[in-house]
Amino acid sequence: MKTPVIEIRDLHKTYGKSEVLRGVDLSINSGEVMAILGRSGGGKSTLLRCINLLETPTAGDIRVGEHLAFSGGKPATGKNLVRLRRSVGMLFQGLNVFPHLSVVENVALPMVRSLGTDESVAVKTALDLLDKVKLTEKALAMPSQLSGGQLQRVALARALALNPLALLFDEPTSALDPESTLEVLQVMKDLSADGMTMVIVTHEIGFAFDVAKTIVMIDEGIVVDSGSPAQLASNSQHDLTKRFLREHLQFDSSSPAGQPRPTRSR
Ligand SMILES: Nc1ncnc2c1ncn2[C@@H]1O[C@H](COP(=O)(O)OP(=O)(O)O)[C@@H](O)[C@H]1O
Ligand SMILES: [Mg+2]
């Protein structure tokens, strides 16, 4: 049996008196795309932030690759923390790039700094990654000259530069216009086809149902439902899933066999 790339067991996170994560179990396999959906305030961002220890969990276990990120009430520290942060890249909706560095420098620098890669090799790899995110022609541009979607793709190339085991996305397109959103989602879809392991919190329900292998519904700090897109769309027994899909999926008579045509949620 395959060992999951990320394994989360009975994860809890408390802020003051409020328990935001109340026992989450998740396993993400190599090459799997997992979409995490749910109402605002349900704990999705907190969950992602616990995986790479931007937040310290209150209890539970998290393993990333062969190493424990959190166990026995203790987070990884020192070299182990550095290795963890390198193995899970994270993309947010905000600014993820250095404004004073050119696009190619933004992608090459982490390789030089974190991996000790030779500068000329780092630049060559950076150019390959910029090709992957369809930004070759912007290699020498400064971030201020780019659209939001282009900036997110630079950030994606930067994250890929460290050769991560997995990428975590927290609503990466929620601040973007529709055209930029499509560009970013297309690159994410390409990455999934390349076998990248990804955990994606998104409001792009159509994208999630198209690209994810597993959909996980999180509400009030627990996993309330999970399964393949087909399982959730056709026969979920859970009220929240049914309500969520009803609100966010439009049924399009022009699509084959009355397939739901998912739309962007609000
Ligand atoms: N740093 C924090 N301090 C206190 N409460 C927080 C903090 N971060 C998040 N919360 C609370 O935790 C709950 C879950 O938040 P979050 O993980 O951001 O949900 P989601 O991403 O699903 O919208 C919310 O009630 C939020 O107000
Ligand atoms: Mg959030």
Side-chain angles (χ1 to χ4, degrees):
M1 223 184 94
K2 265 197 306 195
T3 314
V5 173
I6 300 175
E7 194 156 32
I8 299 167
R9 288 284 160 256
D10 199 25
L11 186 70
H12 292 254
K13 173 66 184 175
T14 304
Y15 290 113
K17 283 188 182 148
S18 105
E19 193 172 29
V20 170
L21 296 177
R22 301 185 296 135
V24 171
D25 295 283
L26 285 178
S27 292
I28 298 117
N29 287 321
S30 178
E32 177 174 357
V33 177
M34 176 180 283
I36 299 184
L37 312 179
R39 298 188 294 186
S40 178
K44 305 181 295 298
S45 296
T46 304
L47 172 63
L48 287 193
R49 294 168 61 82
C50 282
I51 295 176
N52 69 354
L53 296 179
L54 288 175
E55 295 288 350
T56 307
T58 311
D61 293 286
I62 303 175
R63 183 181 52 72
V64 174
E66 292 170 3
H67 302 279
L68 290 169
F70 188 84
S71 183
K74 292 202 173 62
T77 55
K79 277 187 186 160
N80 293 333
L81 179 61
V82 171
R83 183 180 49 212
L84 170 71
R85 293 270 167 80
R86 217 182 272 156
S87 3
V88 279
M90 180 140 176
L91 271 96
F92 311 89
Q93 71 169 62
L95 187 68
N96 292 287
V97 301
F98 290 126
H100 61 287
L101 295 178
S102 71
V103 165
V104 67
E105 286 168 336
N106 256 288
V107 182
L109 195 67
M111 286 182 262
V112 177
R113 289 267 173 87
S114 300
L115 304 180
T117 309
D118 186 72
E119 216 172 291
S120 61
V121 175
V123 168
K124 195 188 164 300
T125 309
L127 291 171
D128 289 345
L129 289 169
L130 288 172
D131 183 48
K132 197 179 265 268
V133 301
K134 304 187 181 90
L135 281 178
T136 300
E137 78 284 9
K138 297 289 181 190
L140 299 178
M142 296 303 287
S144 61
Q145 300 169 299
L146 303 187
S147 71
Q150 290 168 337
L151 286 172
Q152 259 326 28
R153 285 182 284 143
V154 176
L156 200 39
R158 258 180 79 87
L160 290 169
L162 296 182
N163 203 15
L165 286 176
L167 289 177
L168 314 178
F169 297 83
D170 193 356
E171 303 192 10
T173 60
S174 60
L176 302 179
D177 60 64
E179 194 182 335
S180 292
T181 296
L182 285 179
E183 290 167 4
V184 171
L185 295 181
Q186 184 57 52
V187 168
M188 289 167 67
K189 192 170 174 176
D190 294 347
L191 285 178
S192 93
D194 286 352
M196 190 70 212
T197 308
M198 303 198 275
V199 183
I200 306 171
V201 172
T202 183
H203 285 290
E204 299 293 338
I205 310 299
F207 171 77
F209 273 73
D210 182 23
V211 173
K213 177 172 174 282
T214 314
I215 307 257
V216 171
M217 301 287 308
I218 289 206
D219 199 42
E220 296 182 347
I222 55 169
V223 173
V224 291
D225 200 3
S226 68
S228 70
Q231 282 167 342
L232 259 62
S234 64
N235 64 356
S236 174
Q237 304 302 309
H238 295 265
D239 283 347
L240 181 79
T241 310
K242 286 193 260 187
R243 192 150 31 100
F244 202 83
L245 294 183
R246 212 166 37 237
E247 282 168 18
H248 298 303
L249 297 178
Q250 280 179 351
F251 287 84
D252 177 5
S253 56
S254 70
S255 69
Q259 284 292 306
R261 186 181 63 173
T263 58
R264 176 175 209 167
S265 83
R266 263 300 93 218

